Amino acid sequence: MDELKETLQAPFNEAWAEQLLQALQELAQIGGGRPEQLALVDLTLDLRGLWPVDLTLDRQQLQTGDLCPAITATATLEALPVTGKAVDWVVRKLFRTYVTALRDPANLPRSVQPQWALVHAMSNHFQALGAVVHQLHLDDDQDPVKIRLFGPLADESIALMKKYGVTWTLSKMLTPWAQAFSPLRHMEDLSIAKAKPRRGVAEAGLQRDVLGRAKSLKTRHFAKTSAPAFTPQRPILQPFGGRPDAYTVFDLEFSSGNKQEGQFATEIGAIKVRDSRIVDTFDCFVQIPHGMRLNSRSQSLTGIHTGLLMRYGRPAGTALAEFQNFIGKDPLLGFAVKGGDLLVMQRQFGLYATPGRLLDVAEIAKAGGPMPGGPDVGLAKYRNYLGLDILAHGAVYDAVTTYALYAYLQGSPLLPEVVMAQFNQVFEQTSFKSPKKNFRR
């Protein structure tokens, strides 16, 4: 153990390649791999030697080699290791990247779907190895590393963590559906330490979509509801009791910045569902409140910019009233609403969800196990897992994804082409101006 710790804590010098390989070879030895298969060519690592030869699940030994070549065993460093940094600085980053890739079906070819249990057991094994590296990094008087794993967990991984004093909790995980996997024949090679995207600039297709919708949306008015879904009374949040068949799904896009920028809605989107069918849609851009400004991260995520809201946004009070009237008396569904949408409703409008009206679909997903990739799966990931051909970070689009996810969690999954056909038809009929001016997605 002391020799491994010394190898991992050694600072990088000019012989960084030999140092990195030595550390990985020693880790392969304790992890049940084949150290002699590890190689480094230029900045690309061949990681096959780190793969455990076999993993035991439910008393059955499974050979990990069966996953090759569908799952990549190569990773490329984007830059040379920093001289003077400890070797484990790169090793831990490598393990985090590999675990993230292995636990995400969107990175994996459909051919490995029948072997999902083995794939995920291997990702857990790599996470355990990473935890060992972290454990050796700590001083003796520090608390032991504790990690959260999502089954299945191999006997070899348990033995490894016990040997090095790592503690863990284990949660269940559901098997991902077919649409979650990549259509590619094999997993893409990994890149370690990729450059971060430029902030404040949205992808061009997203910008075109937002502008096209803003130009084409018609102004709609709804009868005033006698049962608003949001009220000024501060309640103890109570979820909807049951699983409704008739409901409204909503989502907000918003700017969440510092005190000068403020936190306010930029788009409100919703769809109305009856008997597992979309029957109406609501999409509205919202003007920026006086004295506030849109932050750069919001613009890069959503494609919504200040000029668009000045020209096509509706006054916040008007947008809110029409949204409430559109909901009517429906139960309300959202995704991960507590830290985002509900906070905006509270800070901007002083409103709270009416008790017993709101169902958080993210909470349903968590209750069944974090599906399918990890503990913090966001809505954009679910969109890909469900196979939806729709942009992320558009309020009405995210409402569609939430609707499709809810259907899946209820045991009535909808084919992605059926969801999109429903939405496109109803969205055009209910929310756009005359057909000649409609924006075609």
Side-chain angles (χ1 to χ4, degrees):
M1 186 181 298
D2 289 340
E3 291 181 2
L4 176 57
K5 183 171 184 175
E6 184 178 340
T7 301
L8 289 167
Q9 294 308 305
F12 276 116
N13 55 39
E14 292 182 357
W16 66 268
E18 290 81 357
Q19 290 178 284
L20 182 56
L21 270 180
Q22 181 184 350
L24 294 178
Q25 286 166 350
E26 292 182 22
L27 288 168
Q29 186 69 42
I30 69 169
R34 294 187 174 95
E36 69 279 1
Q37 289 188 352
L38 284 160
L40 176 60
V41 179
D42 295 326
L43 293 179
T44 299
L45 285 159
D46 185 338
L47 302 176
R48 282 176 294 179
L50 279 172
W51 285 24
V53 175
D54 46 46
L55 292 173
T56 305
L57 296 173
D58 297 327
R59 300 182 180 180
Q60 181 181 3
Q61 272 194 338
L62 302 174
Q63 294 189 337
T64 62
D66 294 342
L67 298 173
C68 196
I71 293 181
T72 187
T74 59
T76 300
L77 301 173
E78 291 291 314
L80 292 174
V82 178
T83 301
K85 281 272 192 179
V87 173
D88 79 337
W89 181 73
V90 170
V91 172
R92 286 197 285 166
K93 185 174 290 187
L94 170 65
F95 280 126
R96 284 196 300 269
T97 303
Y98 207 42
V99 167
T100 300
L102 288 176
R103 72 197 299 177
D104 188 347
N107 294 324
L108 305 174
R110 289 176 186 157
S111 61
V112 303
Q113 184 185 12
Q115 298 169 292
W116 171 248
L118 176 58
V119 173
H120 209 76
M122 193 164 78
S123 86
N124 281 336
H125 191 74
F126 272 98
Q127 190 172 353
L129 266 175
V132 169
V133 176
H134 189 190
Q135 182 70 51
L136 294 173
H137 179 85
L138 300 178
D139 296 329
D140 294 338
D141 59 349
Q142 291 182 275
D143 291 335
V145 172
K146 185 173 184 179
I147 58 175
R148 188 180 182 193
L149 300 171
F150 296 88
L153 183 61
D155 295 348
E156 293 81 358
S157 307
I158 295 173
L160 176 68
M161 290 186 289
K162 285 182 176 179
K163 179 178 178 180
Y164 286 89
V166 173
T167 59
W168 72 94
T169 56
L170 184 64
S171 301
K172 294 181 179 179
M173 177 178 289
L174 302 183
T175 302
W177 48 98
Q179 293 97 323
F181 291 86
S182 168
L184 299 176
R185 292 182 62 188
H186 60 81
M187 181 179 170
E188 296 276 344
D189 289 347
L190 303 180
S191 293
I192 310 300
K194 283 185 177 179
K196 293 182 179 179
R198 187 159 57 104
R199 292 187 62 180
V201 179
E203 182 264 327
L206 184 58
Q207 294 183 53
R208 288 194 298 269
D209 175 86
V210 168
L211 182 59
R213 280 189 290 124
K215 288 180 177 180
S216 301
L217 289 173
K218 64 185 177 183
T219 300
R220 301 181 66 194
H221 300 286
F222 305 89
K224 186 173 182 179
T225 180
S226 59
F230 297 93
T231 65
Q233 284 75 39
R234 182 191 295 268
I236 298 174
L237 185 61
Q238 298 178 15
F240 183 84
R243 298 290 186 267
D245 294 321
Y247 52 88
T248 294
V249 189
F250 84 107
D251 185 83
L252 302 183
E253 298 301 331
F254 54 87
S255 180
S256 180
N258 55 34
K259 290 183 179 179
Q260 288 73 37
E261 291 171 331
Q263 190 169 47
F264 53 88
T266 56
E267 184 187 1
I268 303 174
I271 59 172
K272 197 172 285 288
V273 178
R274 297 290 184 268
D275 297 322
S276 300
R277 290 193 63 84
I278 300 171
V279 297
D280 202 353
T281 66
F282 178 91
D283 194 12
C284 179
F285 293 96
V286 186
Q287 292 176 3
I288 300 173
H290 179 71
M292 296 184 181
R293 65 176 184 267
L294 204 57
N295 72 347
S296 59
R297 185 173 184 273
S298 173
Q299 294 180 63
S300 62
L301 280 176
T302 66
I304 299 171
H305 54 84
T306 302
L308 181 141
L309 296 180
M310 289 176 63
R311 184 169 182 179
Y312 300 107
R314 301 182 71 187
T318 302
L320 175 66
E322 294 296 351
F323 172 51
Q324 292 259 55
N325 294 336
F326 175 81
I327 298 168
K329 297 182 179 180
D330 278 4
L332 196 59
L333 272 62
F335 184 90
V337 293
K338 291 181 183 178
D341 297 350
L342 294 187
L343 199 59
V344 173
M345 295 297 293
Q346 176 187 337
R347 289 182 176 177
Q348 185 175 4
F349 302 108
L351 297 178
Y352 303 86
T354 301
R357 286 280 294 275
L358 180 64
L359 183 64
D360 193 332
V361 178
E363 295 299 322
I364 304 176
K366 287 180 182 179
M371 300 191 315
D376 300 308
V377 181
L379 196 58
K381 284 279 189 183
Y382 279 121
R383 174 203 62 174
N384 293 334
Y385 295 154
L386 292 164
L388 297 175
D389 182 19
I390 197 168
L391 289 171
H393 300 298
V396 69
Y397 298 155
D398 285 350
V400 173
T401 302
T402 302
Y403 153 66
L405 177 59
Y406 177 69
Y408 179 84
L409 293 169
Q410 293 302 100
S412 304
L414 300 169
L415 291 174
E417 55 268 27
V418 172
V419 174
M420 294 312 305
Q422 275 187 31
F423 169 68
N424 286 333
Q425 181 181 9
V426 178
F427 192 34
E428 182 172 314
Q429 291 174 346
T430 60
S431 290
F432 282 167
K433 298 173 184 175
S434 62
K436 291 182 181 180
K437 296 182 180 180
N438 278 359
F439 172 64
R440 303 290 178 177
R441 292 166 301 285

